[in-house]
Amino acid sequence: MDRTRPAVPGREPAPDRPAPGAGLSTLLARTRTGVLHLHFGERRGQTVLLRDTQKAPLMVIRPFTLPCGTLMVFIVNPTGGLLGGDHSEVRVTVDGGARVLILTQSATRVQPSPDGQAATQDIQFKVAAGGRLEYHPERTIPFAGSAYRQMLRAELDDGAQFGLTETLASGRVQAGERLAFASFESRVQVMVAGRRVFLDRQRLVPGEVTRAPGVWGDLDYQASGVFVGAGVVADWPAVPGQLATGFTAGGAVWLRGAAARGPQLDRAVVEARDALRRQLWNAPPLQIRR
């Protein structure tokens, strides 16, 4: 768009100037956006990291090959957590034949947001036929006064395998911050060959609604997940009153759980994950090295 100013006799038109502080705010916006793009493939029967783009504060440490042949990488954020206005962009592509496991080095700590801005995260996965991608991040802990919004989209070809588990705390429970965050939003969508097989949306705003039975009740930790594979699940992993699994209308396997203690729920999730991996993918339990 052509923007001009009327000429003043004897004076050159003044150039457009940014508003005071605009340059600083733009710079801060750029530096507070972490970027991580990873592309995995298969070379000579082994999964390798072909290309990566990293922009602080997001980065990965050197990949490790697990005994089962899966390539494991840790996403690292060396800062003290996510601040209001921070944005993370993660893009992962997995070619056919590659086996990839992505973990986070530590819990995602969402710091208070005095100005009300949400910390946001946008994650996109693409997995080709014959490829496998698993994403099992550490727990998300929203501090008192924090706001967080995450969008995760996985696009799979027919014949691709995908697994995701996530856990969320009601806050810093030991510090007395139960359900003291401002808001938490999450949207997870899984597509197979352009067809949606899983959609999970959550929006939590602490108050009477989040204390109602069936949402949080007296529990402080929740888990969710989804798995896609061609195998048949005959032995459904479940813990009465704590964790359940089942099929979506699109044929994906969903996982949902809640518990009073985090380690208790973590154990149930790992057991369910291993059971589903074995039945859907004929894969052995993960032997994670930290």
Side-chain angles (χ1 to χ4, degrees), residues 14-281:
D16 289 335
R17 298 181 182 276
L24 177 59
S25 62
T26 302
L27 176 61
L28 288 175
R30 289 201 303 267
T31 58
R32 292 172 61 181
T33 297
V35 174
L36 184 62
H37 295 182
L38 307 174
H39 185 180
F40 298 90
E42 183 188 28
R43 296 293 184 271
R44 299 180 181 178
Q46 292 187 331
T47 300
V48 295
L49 177 58
L50 300 175
R51 291 186 295 275
D52 67 277
T53 300
Q54 305 180 41
K55 176 179 177 294
L58 292 182
M59 60 188 70
V60 294
I61 60 176
R62 184 174 62 87
F64 295 89
T65 300
L66 300 179
C68 62
T70 296
L71 189 69
M72 178 185 70
V73 296
F74 284 100
I75 296 179
V76 178
N77 185 337
T79 67
L82 301 179
L83 302 175
D86 285 358
H87 179 70
S88 300
E89 177 187 292
V90 179
R91 304 285 185 268
V92 179
T93 300
V94 178
D95 293 344
R99 301 285 185 267
V100 180
L101 168 65
I102 297 179
L103 307 172
T104 56
Q105 187 183 43
S106 61
T108 298
R109 296 172 174 83
V110 189
Q111 301 287 344
S113 178
D115 61 2
Q117 289 192 76
T120 59
Q121 181 161 251
D122 181 16
I123 303 173
Q124 294 188 25
F125 297 141
K126 292 186 177 181
V127 187
R132 179 193 300 163
L133 172 61
E134 295 182 73
Y135 180 54
H136 305 300
E138 293 295 313
R139 199 177 332 282
T140 298
I141 306 174
F143 287 20
S146 66
Y148 181 68
R149 184 170 65 252
Q150 172 183 282
M151 295 186 65
L152 188 153
R153 179 183 175 94
E155 298 181 359
L156 317 177
D157 289 346
D158 272 325
Q161 299 173 344
F162 177 70
L164 162 72
T165 58
E166 298 181 291
T167 60
L168 170 68
S170 65
R172 292 192 299 175
V173 179
Q174 302 304 319
E177 290 185 358
R178 182 179 192 272
L179 295 175
F181 54 89
S183 65
F184 172 88
E185 297 181 52
S186 173
R187 188 180 193 273
V188 178
Q189 179 172 258
V190 180
M191 310 288 292
V192 176
R195 179 174 60 93
R196 189 169 70 190
V197 300
F198 180 83
L199 175 62
D200 184 24
R201 300 179 65 179
Q202 288 193 80
R203 182 173 185 269
L204 302 176
V205 179
E208 292 305 316
V209 174
T210 53
R211 290 176 172 83
V215 181
W216 280 99
D218 294 328
L219 306 179
D220 286 310
Y221 300 91
Q222 79 163 30
S224 59
V226 57
F227 290 80
V228 175
V232 176
V233 180
D235 181 16
W236 289 97
V239 179
Q242 183 172 304
L243 185 141
T245 52
F247 271 127
T248 70
V253 175
W254 57 264
L255 176 150
R256 182 74 76 186
R261 298 181 62 251
Q264 177 186 21
L265 184 60
D266 293 341
R267 287 191 295 270
V269 169
V270 169
E271 292 177 4
R273 181 186 70 194
D274 289 343
L276 293 174
R277 295 178 80 256
R278 182 184 69 251
Q279 296 179 81
L280 290 172
W281 308 333

